[in-house]
Structures are given as structure tokens and as C-alpha cells.
């Protein structure tokens, strides 16, 4: 899939129903249009339809804008950008002053539902195709179930109760259904992933690299269960991946974020968002990643457009790295770091980043002349996270300690299979679960998980009111005068979910807005 990159993607999978005032026209099968009547006939049609569901992952509703918010909204980073309304959609989140028209809330909702409805079409139509091999038929259905589960997992964590569709709406009016209780949504996610695990292949080769495997389904299911607090099930599925997938962690943490290492079946990644370059210039709804440019050091000429400086690391986040943790140099630029051209990150404030910190994890430099167009994939699930899920699920047992310590040893440049008195946690480590959550914070930094972690661990509200983030907020607010009042706001219990987009409320009378909006 990295090679074909969804070029078949949006091949009219969002099919329209044509109308006419004459019976003759309605009686004739259109020969120059792709419709339900002439699509979903062959194996190629099934693959194209499945690719169309994947295609939303590279767009603004997912990993080219919306998902960035979940580190910016947490204690990892701030919006950055220029003055005025630059990055206003993220500044609104930071201020916990989120209008129901917020771009992030609107695009995450819309993009996720587009993808899951395309997946619904695959699940409904592909079983009816006769001109298809059994293996491809099963694979397409399993991939669609994985995508539907992934989208619903994002939606239910971000909005709470959401409308649950397990089939394409039969008519335009059938779209307007009320919100389904979150527990039912989670039950469907669990079902989809368990089924996907049972029918998806263990690996791919060639142009199919990047498709969801059974290990991607198992890994996401472990993540779903730990989110729900179902620790026994979470540990079971994480162990399934660790013990049976054949995956191993890279010896070097930074090797996870190198173009040459993408989709390596022998290593750490379980599922990646597939980006390629050379096909777009200023387009976050195509197949190139905009993160190299948007997150690049602002105005310092290290990227094709000289960098926009979004998603800047927070001072307390940088200060939290332990001495010797190699992940800092992979994830963030700090003053004194040397850029590829030999210049250094300056020690003076830069617009949007008063401490001259910048996100480095998705940096590829001047990869080409196209500005919003990086080829670097985004790992959604990695083997390291499976170890951290086991540690959180089983606590400071022998198994749990070894699991978290593998991740820590690798972080400090050590052989992760060899015990180390210097970095290993022990049974006497205080607040072990907090230690696991802290390890997730630094292991998965800028991989867009932190806000979800803080929310599920019920640490978001206390942290943002009582933690040393308050001095950071004060310093940033002083620096960012004129952008927004109270740039780093204090959340309330009513703002721990996003608002249902106003455009959806306006068109669907069955939707009820989240409290506080």
C-alpha cells in the first residue's frame, strides 16, 4: 500500500443516487457512472473500496491535523505558530474555550465518519462479490472492521456517546440517528477487532505492506481494553502480540521514526499511517504528511517552507526527561541542538516558542521542494506500547516490571533484554501506575496519545489545576499576549470531551450537545 498509496482511494466509493423525472432513464443501467449497480463486482473493486476507507487516515480529519490536538491539549506541547489567529483551532483547545464550530472537533468527527461509513460499505458489499478469491474477500472485510473500530475508538474517546452505524444508512434520513451510549460503542469496537484478528493475515509483502494485520487488530484491542479499565483482557491481548507476532523492538528508539525503516515486518511497528511525498504542495487532504513543515523549527530554514513551529514542547515536559534518556534527542529540539545544515537551535525566544523548543519526531528536513509533503509514516501502535500495557495491567509483578523495564532500558541506550540496576524500576518503586503513565508520556510523545491517557487515568483535571503546569501557563500567557486571553486555560469536568460539531447538530435533530457547550 505504500507503493500504491491509495491512488485508487476515492474511486467513487461514496456513491450517489441519481434521480430523474422519466421512467425510461430510471430503467436504464448507467454505463458511464460508478454506482451500486456496477461496482462491487470484482476483486479489484473490493480492494479499491477498502483502500478508500484507509485514505481518510492521511487527511485533516485524522493524522494531518485533528490528531495533533491530543498532545497540544495535554501537558506535552502547546500550539505554537505565529501571532493572531494562527493555529486558532489549537489555541481554543488550550484555552478550554472551545466553540462548537472548532475546526478540530468538526474535522475529527467528519473524517472519522467518512472512513467508517466507507468501511461499512466494504463490510456490507464485499461478501456478495462472487468474482473474488476467498482470501482477499476475508482480508478486505477484516481491514474494514479494523478501520471502523479505529475510527470509533477515536470518536468515543473524544466525544463520548456517538451515533453507532454498523451498516451504511439506507437513505439520507437514516443518517440522522441519536447518540449511542459509549458502552455499546466499545462493545462493537471489541467485536470488530476480535473478528479482524481472526481473519486478517499476519503479514504482507510488496505493495500490500502497510495494510492492517492480525497483530494490528490485537494491539489495538489491547489498547481499547486498557482504556476501558479491563486489565485482564488488556494484558491477554498485549501478551498475544508480544509472544506471537514475531515483532521486536528496535535497539535504537529513533529507528522507529526513519523513512527507510517503515513497514518493517521484522521490527516494532504494528500499524502505521502511510504517507508518501511528491504528490502535493499545499494539501493536507492528500497523501503527504504536513508535519515536517508544520512542526519544523519556525523560520529557521530547516524545511522546504522554513518551518511553521506548531506543536511546541512545553518546558515542564522537556524538564521531565531523565538524564541519559535518548528519547529527548529524537523527539524534541532544544537550544544548542545542531540542525542538519550545521546551525544551532538558538537560545533566544522565537515567535510561538518562547523557549525555542520544537517537535523533532516527525522532522525529515528538506525532503523535496513540496512544502506540505513528507513521506514519513506515523506508527499508530508499536510493540513498546504492548509492554507498557502489560505493565499497567498487571502492576509491579515480575512480569510487569520486566515489561516496563524493557522500554526503559532501550530509552537509555541499553540492551533491553539485560537487567540494569541503573534504570530498572523495582517492586519498591512508589506509585507504580503513575510511573507507567509517565513512561507512556515520554515513549509515545508526539504520537498523539497523551490527552487520552490523562483522561482515562483521571489525571487530566487535577494535573492542569494543581501541577507545575500553572507556572508554564503563566509564562506562556505573558509571552502570547494578544493571541487569546487565558491561552492556557483551566479545564472543567464539562470540557473533557469535544463539542459535537454545530454543523452536525444543525442537520441532525437527533443529536444532543455535550454539557458545557
Amino acid at each position: 500500500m505504500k507503493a500504491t498509496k491509495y491512488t485508487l482511494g476515492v474511486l467513487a466509493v461514496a456513491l450517489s443516487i441519481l434521480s430523474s423525472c422519466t421512467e425510461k432513464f430510471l430503467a436504464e443501467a448507467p454505463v458511464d457512472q460508478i454506482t451500486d449497480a456496477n461496482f462491487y463486482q470484482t476483486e479489484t473493486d473490493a480492494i479499491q473500496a477498502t483502500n478508500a476507507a484507509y485514505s481518510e487516515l492521511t487527511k485533516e480529519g485524522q493524522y494531518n491535523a485533528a490528531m495533533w490536538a491530543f498532545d497540544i491539549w495535554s501537558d506535552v506541547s502547546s500550539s505554537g505558530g505565529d501571532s493572531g489567529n494562527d493555529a486558532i483551532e489549537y489555541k481554543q483547545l488550550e484555552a478550554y474555550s472551545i466553540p462548537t464550530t472548532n475546526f478540530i472537533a468538526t474535522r475529527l468527527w467528519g473524517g472519522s465518519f467518512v472512513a467508517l461509513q466507507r468501511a461499512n460499505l466494504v463490510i456490507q458489499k464485499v461478501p456478495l462479490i462472487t468474482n473474488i478469491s476467498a482470501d482477499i474477500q476475508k482480508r478486505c472485510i477484516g481491514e474494514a472492521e479494523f478501520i471502523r473500530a479505529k475510527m470509533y475508538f477515536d470518536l468515543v474517546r473524544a466525544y463520548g456517546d456517538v451515533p453507532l452505524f454498523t451498516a451504511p444508512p439506507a437513505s439520507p434520513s437514516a443518517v440522522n440517528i441519536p447518540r449511542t451510549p459509549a458502552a455499546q460503542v466499545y462493545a462493537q469496537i471489541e467485536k470488530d477487532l476480535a473478528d479482524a484478528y481472526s481473519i486478517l493475515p499476519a503479514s504482507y509483502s510488496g505493495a500490500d505492506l502497510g495494510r492492517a494485520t492480525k497483530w494490528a487488530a490485537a494491539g489495538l484491542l489491547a489498547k481499547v481494553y486498557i482504556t476501558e479499565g479491563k486489565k485482564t483482557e488488556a494484558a491477554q491481548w498485549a501478551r498475544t502480540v508480544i509472544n506471537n507476532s514475531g515483532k521486536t523492538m528496535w535497539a535504537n528508539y529513533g529507528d522507529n521514526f526513519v523513512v527507510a525503516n517503515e513497514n518493517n515486518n521484522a521490527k516494532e511497528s504494528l500499524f502505521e499511517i502511510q504517507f508518501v511525498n511528491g504528490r502535493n504542495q499545499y494539501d493536507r487532504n492528500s497523501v503527504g504528511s504536513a508535519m515536517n513543515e508544520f512542526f519544523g523549527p519556525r523560520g529557521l530554514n530547516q524545511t522546504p517552507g522554513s518551518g511553521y513551529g506548531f506543536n511546541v514542547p512545553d518546558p515542564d515536559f522537556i524538564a521531565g526527561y531523565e538524564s541519559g534518556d535518548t528519547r529527548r534527542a529524537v523527539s524534541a529540539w532544544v537550544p544548542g541542538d545542531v540542525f542538519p545544515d550545521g546551525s544551532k537551535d538558538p537560545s533566544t525566544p522565537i515567535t510561538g516558542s518562547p523557549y525555542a523548543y520544537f517537535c523533532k519526531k516527525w522532522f525529515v528536513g528538506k525532503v523535496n521542494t513540496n512544502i506540505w509533503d513528507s513521506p514519513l509514516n506515523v506508527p499508530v501502535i508499536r510493540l513498546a506500547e504492548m509492554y507498557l500495557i502489560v505493565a499497567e495491567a498487571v502492576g509491579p509483578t515480575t512480569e510487569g516490571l520486566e515489561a516496563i523495564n524493557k522500554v526503559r532500558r532501550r530509552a537509555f541506550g541499553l540492551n533491553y533484554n539485560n537487567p540494569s540496576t541503573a534504570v530498572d524500576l523495582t517492586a519498591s518503586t512508589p506509585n507504580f501506575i503513575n510511573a507507567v503513565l509517565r513512561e507512556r508520556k515520554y515513549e509515545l510523545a508526539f504520537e498523539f496519545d497523551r490527552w487520552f491517557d490523562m483522561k482515562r487515568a483521571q489525571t487530566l483535571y487535577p494535573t492542569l489545576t494543581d501541577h507545575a503546569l500553572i507556572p508554564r501557563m503563566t509564562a506562556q500567557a505573558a509571552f502570547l499576549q494578544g493571541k487569546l486571553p487565558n491561552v492556557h486555560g483551566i479545564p472543567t469536568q464539562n470540557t473533557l470531551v469535544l463539542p459535537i460539531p454545530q454543523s452536525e447538530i444543525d442537520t441532525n435533530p437527533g443529536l444532543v450537545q455535550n454539557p458545557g457547550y
Side-chain angles (χ1 to χ4, degrees):
M1 263 174 63
K2 185 74 169 179
T4 58
K5 188 44 66 182
Y6 317 129
T7 53
L8 303 174
V10 291
L11 184 61
V13 175
L15 301 170
S16 60
I17 300 174
L18 304 177
S19 62
S20 173
C21 60
T22 65
E23 289 186 7
K24 184 175 184 297
F25 178 82
L26 291 172
E28 293 178 349
V31 295
D32 62 345
Q33 308 265 350
I34 296 177
T35 71
D36 274 339
N38 59 23
F39 198 64
Y40 300 106
Q41 301 295 313
T42 68
E43 182 169 294
T44 297
D45 292 346
I47 294 171
Q48 289 177 356
T50 306
N51 289 351
Y54 278 108
S55 71
E56 283 299 313
L57 292 168
T58 65
K59 297 180 181 179
E60 287 178 333
Q62 280 277 303
Y63 287 85
N64 245 348
M67 296 303 291
W68 306 351
F70 296 107
D71 278 337
I72 294 172
W73 206 7
S74 74
D75 61 353
V76 167
S77 59
S78 301
S79 57
D82 202 349
S83 58
N85 288 333
D86 196 27
I88 187 66
E89 62 271 29
Y90 302 107
K91 292 183 173 71
Q92 290 168 344
L93 292 171
E94 288 180 298
Y96 284 86
S97 179
I98 310 169
T100 58
T101 55
N102 176 268
F103 174 81
I104 297 301
T106 301
R107 284 299 284 119
L108 179 64
W109 180 284
S112 299
F113 274 104
V114 167
L116 71 87
Q117 292 292 20
R118 289 177 179 175
N120 278 336
L121 281 166
V122 172
I123 293 165
Q124 180 188 73
K125 301 290 188 180
V126 169
L128 305 178
I129 297 176
T130 57
N131 186 20
I132 187 173
S133 73
D135 287 344
I136 295 296
Q137 190 172 53
K138 286 194 302 181
R139 190 193 82 185
C140 289
I141 294 167
E143 289 176 271
E145 289 175 321
F146 174 85
I147 294 167
R148 181 168 70 182
K150 197 273 183 201
M151 295 301 167
Y152 267 122
F153 188 43
D154 293 341
L155 287 166
V156 75
R157 290 184 296 168
Y159 301 92
D161 301 346
V162 291
L164 179 61
F165 295 92
T166 55
S171 68
S173 62
V175 174
N176 296 330
I177 66 172
R179 298 168 67 179
T180 304
Q184 294 181 36
V185 178
Y186 271 112
Q188 184 64 46
I189 293 169
E190 294 172 12
K191 181 178 183 300
D192 277 347
L193 291 174
D195 192 57
Y197 171 78
S198 71
I199 61 178
L200 283 172
S203 64
Y204 297 97
S205 61
D208 287 323
L209 282 172
R211 295 184 182 278
T213 66
K214 70 190 302 99
W215 309 119
L220 185 56
L221 189 50
K223 193 164 183 170
V224 169
Y225 277 131
I226 201 68
T227 299
E228 293 183 272
K230 298 179 178 179
K231 293 185 176 182
T232 299
E233 295 88 345
Q236 172 193 337
W237 282 98
R239 288 189 200 104
T240 295
V241 175
I242 292 167
N243 295 333
N244 301 297
S245 67
K247 297 288 183 179
T248 58
M249 291 200 302
W250 288 101
N252 177 6
Y253 174 75
D255 284 343
N256 284 293
F257 315 104
V258 177
V259 173
N261 293 338
E262 292 173 347
N263 298 320
N264 189 321
N265 278 326
K267 287 294 181 181
E268 188 166 340
S269 177
L270 298 172
F271 183 71
E272 301 176 11
I273 306 303
Q274 304 292 303
F275 287 111
V276 295
N277 64 335
R279 302 188 187 181
N280 60 294
Q281 182 77 15
Y282 292 99
D283 189 356
R284 293 193 301 182
N285 288 300
S286 186
V287 294
S289 170
M291 286 189 286
N292 178 54
E293 191 62 51
F294 273 78
F295 299 174
R298 185 172 185 83
L300 297 180
N301 199 32
Q302 300 304 310
T303 59
S306 196
Y308 299 166
F310 279 36
N311 196 21
V312 296
D314 285 333
D316 58 310
F317 169 74
I318 295 296
Y321 277 104
E322 298 174 65
S323 177
D325 190 337
T326 64
R327 295 174 296 194
R328 202 285 298 162
V330 173
S331 299
W333 303 103
V334 303
D337 283 353
V338 179
F339 294 137
D341 64 2
S343 64
K344 291 185 178 181
D345 189 337
S347 58
T348 54
I350 295 173
T351 301
S353 183
Y355 305 95
Y357 298 151
F358 298 101
C359 176
K360 184 181 179 182
K361 184 169 277 187
W362 310 115
F363 177 83
V364 294
K366 296 184 178 181
V367 63
N368 60 6
T369 57
N370 288 345
I371 291 180
W372 297 357
D373 198 15
S374 164
L376 183 57
N377 286 358
V378 176
V380 176
I381 319 168
R382 295 191 282 113
L383 186 66
E385 186 175 9
M386 296 299 102
Y387 284 117
L388 294 176
I389 287 173
V390 168
E392 184 175 348
V394 304
T397 60
T398 300
E399 180 188 24
L401 287 166
E402 179 60 16
I404 192 173
N405 287 331
K406 283 183 185 295
V407 175
R408 286 182 55 79
R409 292 168 198 153
R410 195 263 299 269
F412 287 86
L414 305 174
N415 183 321
Y416 61 77
N417 287 316
N418 294 339
S420 168
T421 56
V423 303
D424 282 4
L425 304 184
T426 68
S428 61
T429 298
N431 301 316
F432 182 75
I433 295 302
N434 288 345
V436 176
L437 292 170
R438 183 202 171 282
E439 209 61 43
R440 286 183 62 90
K441 177 180 179 178
Y442 287 96
E443 178 67 26
L444 304 175
F446 306 109
E447 295 177 51
F448 320 121
D449 266 316
R450 178 61 177 168
W451 184 81
F452 294 126
D453 281 353
M454 295 175 74
K455 180 182 173 183
R456 71 179 175 80
Q458 299 182 336
T459 60
L460 183 64
Y461 183 75
T463 297
L464 286 177
T465 53
D466 301 331
H467 190 264
L469 285 181
I470 294 298
R472 183 267 292 179
M473 292 176 188
T474 305
Q476 289 276 62
F479 182 83
L480 299 171
Q481 284 179 356
K483 292 190 176 182
L484 272 179
N486 190 24
V487 170
H488 291 283
I490 305 300
T492 68
Q493 296 293 349
N494 286 337
T495 53
L496 298 185
V497 287
L498 288 170
I500 306 301
Q502 189 61 47
S503 56
E504 301 295 331
I505 297 285
D506 291 343
T507 58
N508 182 358
L511 293 178
V512 176
Q513 185 58 270
N514 277 324
Y517 294 104

